[in-house]
C-alpha cells in the first residue's frame, strides 16, 4: 500500500515456484509517511462590521495533497460607529381648545436607521372661542301645559357647549268651540233613545263638557193582516208594527174542513178514480174501477199433438191487455173450427178426438158481449206408430169380414 501524508505504506517481495506456483518466500518492506505540503493561505467566514457590531474573517492554510486544514487564524474588524442624519419631526398632535399638543424631534443614523436621539416639545392649549347664542329644544305651550326653550352658546372651534339657559312659556288655556251632538241612539217602540251635547277646545280638541239628553220610547204602530181559514188550517190575524217589525197573532178562526167534489178519472194512473175537495183540490179518496180490456193473445200459435183419448191433450193460456191493472172488465169465449178433431172448454183445455187439423179461437168480449179482439192457435192431431198399427189392423179386419 502507498504511504500518505499522515500514514506509512508497505510492500511484500515474494518468490514463487516456476513450475507449481507455490510461494517459496515473502519479505515485507515498510515505507514512512510523506508529511503535509502547505498551500497558500485563504480567507474564510468574513462578517463585515456595521455601526455597532465588530466584523471578522479567518485566514486558513490547507495541505495541497490531502486538503487537511493545517492552520486557522481569526482577525477582528472594529465597529464603524453611527452617522447622524438631519433631525426630523414625528408624532405631532395639534393643541385644541382644552388639550395641549406635542411633537417629537428625532435624529436617526443614516447607515442603519437606528434612533440616536428623541426630544418631545409641548404645545399649549388654545382655549375656547364663544359663538353667538342659539335657541334649542323649543316646546310650544298648549292649553294646559307650559312650554320652554334653551338659549345655548357653543365654542366656534370645537363646538363644546359653553352655557345653557332654559326659559319657560306659560300655558295658553282652552278655547271653547260650538256644541256638537254625539252618540245619538234613536228611540224605538219599546226602548228610550239618547244623545250627548259636547263642547271641545278648538285648539287641542280636549272635551270641556258633555250633557246627555234622553228621548222617550215611541210605542208600537201595529197594522193587521188577516189570514183566512182553509180546509185544514185555522185562520188568524197577524198584527205587525210598521216601525220595528214586532208582530203577534190573534183572532184565530177554526179550519173550514173539506167539501167533497165530483169523482174524476186519474189521467196518470189507468183505472184509478179520485174524489177531490171542491175548495182546495186535495184528493180525499181514490178507488180502482173496472177498465175495458183492449187486446188478447195466446201463449201458442201452432201446436202439433198426438191423439189422446178423453183427457185434455194440452192447455192454452190467454193474456189480456192492459196487463198492469188488477181489475179488467172482459170475458173470453173459446171455440174450435172443427170439434170432430178437437174441442176446447172455457178454461182453454184442448181435447183431441181424431186425426186432423182445427183452429182454436179465443174471442175477447166486453160486458155487453161486443167483440174486442181475437187470438188463434192452429192445432194438428197426429197418431203415434202404435196407434197407426191399431188403425191398420182395424181397417184390415173390417175389409176381411166384409
Amino acid at each position: 500500500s502507498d504511504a500518505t501524508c499522515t500514514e506509512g505504506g508497505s510492500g511484500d517481495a515474494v518468490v514463487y515456484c516456476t513450475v507449481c506456483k507455490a510461494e517459496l518466500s515473502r519479505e515485507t518492506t515498510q515505507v514512512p509517511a510523506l508529511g503535509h505540503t502547505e498551500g497558500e493561505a485563504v480567507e474564510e467566514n468574513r462578517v463585515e462590521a456595521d455601526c455597532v457590531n465588530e466584523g471578522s474573517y479567518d485566514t486558513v492554510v490547507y495541505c495541497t495533497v490531502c486538503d487537511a486544514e493545517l492552520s486557522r487564524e481569526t482577525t477582528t474588524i472594529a465597529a464603524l460607529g453611527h452617522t447622524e442624519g438631519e433631525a426630523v419631526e414625528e408624532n405631532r398632535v395639534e393643541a385644541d381648545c382644552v388639550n395641549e399638543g406635542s411633537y417629537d424631534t428625532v435624529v436617526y443614523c443614516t447607515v442603519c436607521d437606528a434612533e440616536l436621539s428623541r426630544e418631545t416639545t409641548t404645545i399649549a392649549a388654545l382655549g375656547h372661542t364663544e359663538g353667538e347664542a342659539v335657541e334649542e329644544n323649543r316646546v310650544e305651550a298648549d292649553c294646559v301645559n307650559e312650554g320652554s326653550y334653551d338659549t345655548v352658546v357653543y365654542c366656534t372651534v370645537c363646538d363644546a357647549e359653553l352655557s345653557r339657559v332654559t326659559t319657560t312659556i306659560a300655558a295658553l288655556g282652552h278655547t271653547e268651540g260650538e256644541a256638537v251632538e254625539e252618540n245619538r241612539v234613536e228611540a224605538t217602540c219599546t226602548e228610550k233613545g239618547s244623545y250627548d251635547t259636547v263642547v271641545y277646545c278648538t285648539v287641542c280638541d280636549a272635551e270641556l263638557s258633555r250633557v246627555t239628553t234622553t228621548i222617550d220610547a215611541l210605542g208600537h204602530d201595529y197594522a193587521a193582516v188577516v189570514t183566512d181559514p182553509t180546509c185544514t188550517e185555522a185562520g188568524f190575524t197577524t198584527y205587525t208594527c210598521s216601525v220595528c217589525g214586532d208582530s203577534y197573532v190573534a183572532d184565530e178562526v177554526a179550519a173550514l174542513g173539506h167539501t167533497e167534489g165530483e169523482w174524476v178519472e186519474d189521467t196518470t194512473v189507468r183505472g184509478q178514480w179520485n174524489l177531490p175537495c171542491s175548495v182546495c183540490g186535495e184528493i180525499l179518496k181514490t178507488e180502482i174501477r173496472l177498465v175495458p180490456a183492449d187486446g188478447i193473445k195466446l201463449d201458442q200459435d201452432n201446436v202439433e199433438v198426438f191423439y189422446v183419448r178423453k183427457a185434455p191433450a194440452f192447455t192454452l193460456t190467454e193474456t189480456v191487455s192492459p196487463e198492469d191493472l188488477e181489475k179488467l172488465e172482459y170475458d173470453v169465449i173459446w171455440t174450435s173450427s172443427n170439434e170432430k178433431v178437437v174441442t176446447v172448454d172455457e178454461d182453454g183445455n184442448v181435447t183431441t178426438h181424431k186425426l186432423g187439423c182445427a183452429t182454436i179461437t179465443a174471442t175477447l168480449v166486453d160486458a155487453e158481449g161486443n167483440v174486442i179482439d181475437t187470438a188463434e192457435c192452429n192445432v194438428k192431431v197426429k197418431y203415434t206408430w202404435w196407434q197407426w198399427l191399431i188403425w191398420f189392423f182395424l181397417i184390415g179386419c173390417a175389409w176381411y169380414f166384409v
Side-chain angles (χ1 to χ4, degrees):
S1 58
D2 293 329
T4 66
C5 297
T6 57
E7 293 180 356
S10 64
D12 294 335
V14 185
V15 177
Y16 292 96
C17 175
T18 59
V19 177
C20 64
K21 305 298 183 184
E23 183 177 312
L24 302 179
S25 64
R26 176 178 294 270
E27 182 181 354
T28 300
T29 302
Q30 298 294 328
V31 181
L34 302 176
H36 291 297
T37 302
E38 289 187 2
E40 291 185 0
V42 295
E43 182 184 289
E44 288 184 354
N45 303 324
R46 186 177 188 89
V47 177
E48 297 294 343
D50 58 22
C51 298
V52 294
N53 299 302
E54 292 178 336
S56 65
Y57 63 89
D58 294 337
T59 302
V60 188
V61 177
Y62 292 97
C63 174
T64 59
V65 176
C66 67
D67 292 328
E69 182 178 312
L70 304 180
S71 65
R72 178 178 294 272
E73 180 182 351
T74 300
T75 303
T76 300
I77 305 171
L80 302 177
H82 291 298
T83 302
E84 290 189 0
E86 292 186 2
V88 294
E89 182 184 290
E90 286 184 354
N91 304 323
R92 187 176 188 90
V93 177
E94 298 294 344
D96 58 23
C97 300
V98 295
N99 299 302
E100 293 179 335
S102 66
Y103 63 89
D104 295 337
T105 303
V106 188
V107 176
Y108 291 98
C109 173
T110 59
V111 177
C112 67
D113 292 328
E115 183 178 312
L116 304 181
S117 65
R118 178 178 294 271
E119 181 181 353
T120 300
T121 303
T122 302
I123 305 170
L126 302 177
H128 291 299
T129 303
E130 289 190 0
E132 292 185 1
V134 294
E135 182 184 292
E136 287 184 353
N137 304 323
R138 187 175 189 91
V139 177
E140 298 294 345
D142 58 25
C143 300
V144 294
N145 300 301
E146 293 179 335
S148 65
Y149 64 88
D150 295 337
T151 303
V152 190
V153 175
Y154 291 100
C155 173
T156 59
V157 177
C158 67
D159 292 328
E161 182 178 313
L162 305 181
S163 66
R164 179 178 293 270
V165 177
T166 299
T167 303
T168 301
I169 305 170
L172 302 177
H174 290 300
T175 304
E176 288 190 359
E178 293 186 1
V180 294
E181 182 184 292
E182 288 184 354
N183 304 324
R184 187 175 189 92
V185 178
E186 298 294 345
T188 67
C189 299
T190 56
E191 302 290 336
K192 292 180 178 180
S194 65
Y195 63 89
D196 296 337
T197 302
V198 189
V199 175
Y200 292 98
C201 173
T202 59
V203 178
C204 67
D205 293 327
E207 182 178 312
L208 306 181
S209 66
R210 179 178 293 270
V211 177
T212 300
T213 303
T214 300
I215 306 169
D216 293 334
L218 302 176
H220 290 299
D221 182 14
Y222 286 111
V225 176
V226 177
T227 301
D228 293 326
T230 66
C231 300
T232 57
E233 302 290 337
F236 54 86
T237 301
T238 303
Y239 294 91
T240 304
C241 177
S242 61
V243 177
C244 69
D246 178 70
S247 66
Y248 68 94
V249 176
D251 308 328
E252 186 172 322
V253 180
L256 302 176
H258 290 299
T259 302
E260 290 187 356
E262 300 279 336
W263 282 96
V264 179
E265 185 177 3
D266 195 313
T267 58
T268 60
V269 180
R270 187 169 184 180
Q272 178 173 305
W273 288 71
N274 302 323
L275 179 62
C277 174
S278 62
V279 177
C280 68
E282 182 180 339
I283 302 301
L284 305 180
K285 299 177 183 178
T286 62
E287 65 179 32
I288 302 298
R289 298 184 179 181
L290 292 176
V291 177
D294 59 12
I296 187 172
K297 59 183 179 179
L298 299 178
D299 60 342
Q300 301 182 79
D301 296 328
N302 294 282
V303 177
E304 290 187 358
V305 64
F306 293 111
Y307 168 74
V308 178
R309 187 180 181 186
K310 294 183 179 180
F314 64 94
T315 299
L316 290 173
T317 302
E318 83 280 8
T319 300
V320 178
S321 59
E323 299 179 21
D324 58 343
L325 295 181
E326 297 179 358
K327 295 184 179 182
L328 290 176
E329 187 176 314
Y330 68 91
D331 192 12
V332 178
I333 300 173
W334 294 91
T335 58
S336 172
S337 64
N338 189 348
E339 293 188 349
K340 292 180 178 181
V341 176
V342 292
T343 56
V344 59
D345 64 14
E346 61 184 7
D347 295 321
N349 297 314
V350 179
T351 302
T352 60
H353 298 288
K354 70 172 187 175
L355 189 69
C357 295
T359 299
I360 303 298
T361 302
T363 302
L364 180 65
V365 297
D366 60 18
E368 286 76 28
N370 299 313
V371 175
I372 299 172
D373 195 12
T374 61
E376 295 181 345
C377 176
N378 297 315
V379 180
K380 182 179 181 181
V381 180
K382 302 184 296 183
Y383 287 158
T384 63
W385 63 269
W386 56 268
Q387 288 174 328
W388 279 110
L389 287 177
I390 295 172
W391 185 81
F392 282 118
F393 176 75
L394 293 175
I395 293 299
C397 290
W399 175 81
Y400 176 78
F401 290 110
V402 172

